[in-house]
Amino acid sequence: MSDIDRAPKGPDLYIHYCEHQGCDNWGSWGNSPSATVTTRWWCFEHFPHKSFEQEQALRRKLEDAEGGTTVQ
Ligand SMILES: [Zn+2]
């Protein structure tokens, strides 16, 4: 037994997955209205504070993933 095997604990290593119900993706997108409010985390798809450009990029990505069945 050794203490070296224990994972170090710190604020930077806090585990945060997307908080969207039923989603188990990694929450790489955080948002906090102020320093006193706990940061909430979402994956890119569920992040509710995306800019217009980010929203467009996500839509294009989802449409591509559908297999190119889109008829223009
Ligand atoms: Zn998500």
Side-chain angles (χ1 to χ4, degrees):
M1 285 273 239
S2 164
D3 284 340
I4 298 168
D5 295 328
R6 279 191 211 155
K9 283 184 180 165
D12 290 340
L13 295 166
Y14 179 69
I15 305 295
H16 48 80
Y17 290 93
C18 176
E19 69 168 51
H20 187 86
Q21 207 166 20
C23 178
D24 56 3
N25 287 326
W26 178 249
S28 53
W29 290 70
N31 182 272
S32 172
S34 83
T36 57
V37 178
T38 307
T39 305
R40 298 169 69 190
W41 298 93
W42 295 268
C43 67
F44 181 61
E45 189 174 331
H46 294 127
F47 186 62
H49 304 282
K50 287 194 285 288
S51 71
F52 180 76
E53 286 77 14
Q54 288 169 332
E55 193 74 57
Q56 294 299 303
L58 175 63
R59 274 198 192 192
R60 248 176 272 127
K61 199 177 120 189
L62 291 177
E63 283 168 11
D64 286 349
E66 279 171 12
T69 53
T70 309
V71 178
Q72 290 190 344

